[in-house]
Amino acid sequence: MRDIANEVYEKMRVGSSAWIRPVAAKGDTVPSFQAVHEQVKQMADDGLITISTIKRQEDGLIDAIRIQRLA
């Protein structure tokens, strides 16, 4: 599985924000995207980002996460 959170983080500038979403063309699915939430929480705990918004589908699965880069 690719590290979606890290890919987005590396492309961001300090202070900017971005949405992290599964990309079907790269093989991501909503069920496999659930692990990204754990990666994002760890990055937030490390002080690299803040989590602004978490969007969920009706079934409760996370389908998008908005982050802001701090460092």
Side-chain angles (χ1 to χ4, degrees):
M1 183 174 125
R2 63 193 194 96
D3 189 355
I4 301 168
N6 199 37
E7 286 179 23
V8 172
Y9 174 80
E10 288 177 358
K11 293 178 184 176
M12 296 173 68
R13 292 182 184 168
V14 174
S16 65
S17 61
W19 284 100
I20 301 175
R21 293 185 171 102
V23 179
K26 293 186 177 183
D28 303 331
T29 62
V30 173
S32 70
F33 185 70
Q34 303 314 295
V36 173
H37 184 241
E38 292 301 320
Q39 294 170 338
V40 170
K41 286 191 332 187
Q42 182 61 46
M43 292 173 79
D45 290 344
D46 292 343
L48 300 174
I49 62 168
T50 59
I51 301 170
S52 303
T53 308
I54 297 176
K55 288 185 142 187
R56 295 183 183 268
Q57 297 179 342
E58 290 181 14
D59 60 3
L61 292 177
I62 297 169
D63 64 351
I65 302 170
R66 186 167 179 88
I67 61 170
Q68 182 176 15
R69 184 172 176 166
L70 300 176

